[in-house]
Amino acid sequence: MAGEPIKPKSAGDVASAKAEAREGGPLPQTKPSAADDIAAFVAKARAMSPHRPGARGRLVFALDATMSRQPTWDMACALQADMFREAASLGSLDIRLVYYRGFNECRATGWISDSAQLARLMGKIDCQGGNTQIGKVLSEARREAVASGVRAVVFVGDAMEEAVDDLCARAGELGLLKVPVFMFQEGHDAAAEQAFGEIARLTGGAWCRFDPGAAAQLRELLRAAAAYAAGGREALLALSKTAGGAAALIGQMK
């Protein structure tokens, strides 16, 4: 069914050529590229960029859905409509939900342009115990950035249990594609703060902390990310004059 969660492709996926063709072509190579290969890679991505005039803004909305995250998952489900409302004043927005939970489960929806539909899908998902899979989130964002264009990535989580250097390498690839990642951290985990900050820096995005269960803080951050996805830096700058969340993001972005 369209819009139902599907398992995203990773950088190392070896699905058949026929399956790849149905999903928009083969994945980009992950081996180190020569300067010419990198230039061609970035040129292709920019040609598909949603920043061109009249394009719909596209935002990857990624959430940690491990067991400890259920209260925040429910809060994000209630707040996601604010992203669509913020974007509506600037243009339009499509959101692709990506989440991980349990044992090695990382899934993604199709592109969604209606808050009610996204709320229905999120309402069907319950959090399950497991380790973080942020690397898969970044790989999925990179794949989608090349396949159909992505203006920004939002990640909401409270922990990081992966090799930080591997995450930074994947973040660097998103940085080459000019796709900023907004890392929103719940709580004060030191390892998560270090990794989230580096991911944000390497992509030209921003890292911000919000207090556990603080719906108002998370709402402002999500509104700011939606403003950027729908209207670019100019829209985020305009919002920053009246909203603290937007000011926190624009102050970090390069």
Side-chain angles (χ1 to χ4, degrees):
M1 179 183 299
E4 290 297 328
I6 57 174
K7 188 173 182 180
K9 301 289 184 181
S10 68
D13 193 78
V14 289
S16 67
K18 184 179 293 185
E20 289 176 338
R22 289 197 301 266
E23 296 187 11
L27 298 180
Q29 296 295 316
T30 58
K31 63 182 180 181
S33 300
D36 289 345
D37 293 333
I38 294 175
F41 177 74
V42 174
K44 178 181 178 182
R46 286 176 175 170
M48 301 177 181
S49 173
H51 290 272
R52 65 188 185 276
R56 294 182 64 85
R58 286 194 156 183
L59 173 72
V60 172
F61 184 31
L63 294 166
D64 180 333
T66 55
M67 188 67 76
S68 64
R69 307 295 299 151
Q70 189 66 59
T72 304
W73 181 275
D74 295 339
M75 185 168 68
C77 186
L79 296 178
Q80 55 82 21
D82 291 331
M83 290 193 289
F84 286 102
R85 280 193 287 269
E86 185 65 42
S89 65
L90 301 165
S92 57
L93 182 67
D94 293 333
I95 291 178
R96 182 178 178 87
L97 175 67
V98 180
Y99 65 93
Y100 58 79
R101 62 180 182 175
F103 178 70
N104 205 34
E105 179 184 359
C106 183
R107 298 184 180 275
T109 68
W111 288 105
I112 299 169
S113 57
D114 176 67
S115 63
Q117 181 185 5
L118 182 56
R120 286 193 297 271
L121 289 174
M122 293 182 70
K124 296 177 181 178
I125 300 167
D126 61 327
C127 295
Q128 298 178 5
N131 292 329
T132 65
Q133 301 177 59
I134 301 169
K136 291 183 180 179
V137 169
L138 298 177
S139 292
E140 167 64 5
R142 176 186 181 275
R143 185 194 71 81
E144 196 61 44
V146 174
S148 60
V150 172
R151 184 166 283 179
V153 178
V154 165
F155 175 81
V156 182
D158 65 349
M160 190 288 297
E161 299 158 328
E162 300 159 69
V164 67
D165 287 340
D166 291 343
L167 296 183
C168 288
R170 301 184 193 196
E173 293 174 342
L174 284 170
L176 286 175
L177 295 170
K178 306 298 183 185
V179 178
V181 180
F182 300 118
M183 302 294 292
F184 299 153
Q185 179 184 351
E186 182 175 33
H188 297 267
D189 183 89
E193 179 176 340
Q194 180 186 37
F196 291 6
E198 276 299 287
I199 291 169
R201 182 184 68 81
L202 289 166
T203 62
W207 164 85
C208 288
R209 188 200 317 277
F210 65 98
D211 296 325
Q217 292 176 348
L218 182 57
R219 176 185 287 110
E220 287 303 303
L221 294 174
L222 294 180
R223 285 182 59 219
Y228 179 86
R233 189 180 183 90
E234 294 79 8
L236 183 58
L237 185 60
L239 183 63
S240 71
K241 297 176 182 178
T242 58
L249 299 192
I250 199 70
Q252 296 182 52
M253 296 181 70
K254 296 179 180 179

